[in-house]
Amino acid sequence: MHQLFHYINKYAIISQEDFKVFLSHFVQKKIPKKQYFLEEGEICRHMAFIVKGAMRQYYIDEKGVERIVNLYVENWWAADFESFVMHTPSIYSIDAWEDCEVLLISRENTLKLRNQCPAFNELLLRLDELNRITTQKRITYSISYTAEVRYKYFIDSFPYFVKRFPQHIIASYLGITKDTLSRVRKKMLEK
């Protein structure tokens, strides 16, 4: 649990005493590789803080093609936030790409914790800001730049993903085919 304590203190100041209150709202869970955290059609009832492992969020398009929306590793939060907040069925699935250890917090406990722990509100605010920035950059890169520029930005920004996920997953995340990604990688190696 030290990992979560240090994570929170990157974004907000929390005392050991407040952290005990904070932690009491979470449940530990192991999710084996290839098992679902969330399946399409379910309501996302928890946010997961990843202590160990890697997960992916995706949907299947009308042609049956898997489209990666998010990748998650240690010290990242995994959830379908629309489903979590709005209490609506998810259009996404989230599964464990590796064996995972997570800390789960329900929507109800999130709301309770907001009232009990000011550091949690600071954390949520900061995470929301960072998420908006990341989303804005991802949209800009995907509509404005070539596959090569997108991949370069991706490996510069998220080098740990490159080591944890195979090329076809990364290609889907970038919105390109795995053949295009192969060509881009080959071209970059030749430079």
Side-chain angles (χ1 to χ4, degrees):
M1 300 318 121
H2 296 292
Q3 190 173 341
L4 182 58
F5 179 75
H6 293 297
Y7 175 84
I8 294 166
N9 275 296
K10 276 177 46 180
Y11 302 106
I13 305 295
I14 189 168
S15 68
Q16 288 286 351
E17 204 56 44
D18 283 346
F19 183 68
K20 288 177 187 171
V21 172
F22 186 90
L23 200 53
S24 71
H25 291 78
F26 286 80
V27 175
Q28 288 182 291
K29 184 175 181 180
K30 291 186 179 194
I31 304 173
K33 182 178 181 176
K34 297 185 181 180
Q35 296 297 306
Y36 286 99
F37 166 64
L38 174 70
E39 286 189 76
E40 176 188 355
E42 293 178 345
I43 293 172
C44 186
R45 301 195 185 280
H46 295 91
M47 287 193 312
F49 178 79
I50 302 174
V51 176
K52 180 181 176 226
M55 301 171 97
R56 64 188 180 142
Q57 179 180 6
Y58 64 94
Y59 71 96
I60 307 297
D61 72 13
E62 67 281 348
K63 294 179 182 174
V65 177
E66 184 180 279
R67 302 291 182 177
I68 304 296
V69 177
N70 278 309
L71 301 173
Y72 310 105
V73 292
E74 290 86 3
N75 296 322
W76 284 56
W77 293 89
D80 173 354
F81 293 102
E82 179 182 357
S83 176
F84 183 75
V85 171
M86 304 301 289
H87 207 69
T88 55
S90 180
I91 64 168
Y92 304 107
S93 293
I94 301 174
D95 64 8
W97 189 255
E98 302 170 351
D99 289 338
C100 290
E101 294 175 17
V102 298
L103 294 171
L104 301 177
I105 186 166
S106 68
R107 176 77 175 149
E108 296 75 23
N109 279 346
T110 301
L111 296 173
K112 285 180 195 173
L113 195 52
R114 285 177 136 175
N115 293 325
Q116 296 174 347
C117 184
F120 187 62
N121 286 323
E122 287 179 53
L123 173 67
L124 291 178
L125 178 62
R126 186 67 179 135
L127 292 177
D128 187 47
E129 291 171 346
L130 294 172
N131 186 46
R132 286 174 191 236
I133 292 166
T134 302
T135 300
Q136 185 174 301
K137 282 183 179 178
R138 186 166 177 203
I139 291 168
T140 301
Y141 272 80
S142 54
I143 63 175
S144 302
Y145 294 101
T146 65
E148 186 175 350
V149 172
R150 279 188 265 167
Y151 183 65
K152 175 85 170 88
Y153 171 75
F154 177 81
I155 60 175
D156 289 346
S157 301
F158 310 107
Y160 38 85
F161 283 163
V162 176
K163 297 173 184 170
R164 305 284 287 277
F165 294 96
Q167 295 304 302
H168 73 278
I169 297 290
I170 292 170
S172 177
Y173 178 83
L174 294 173
I176 59 178
T177 66
K178 60 184 177 183
D179 292 338
T180 299
L181 182 55
S182 275
R183 284 192 297 274
V184 165
R185 291 181 74 227
K186 184 179 178 187
K187 188 176 177 183
M188 289 175 77
L189 290 172
E190 291 171 354
K191 288 185 177 180

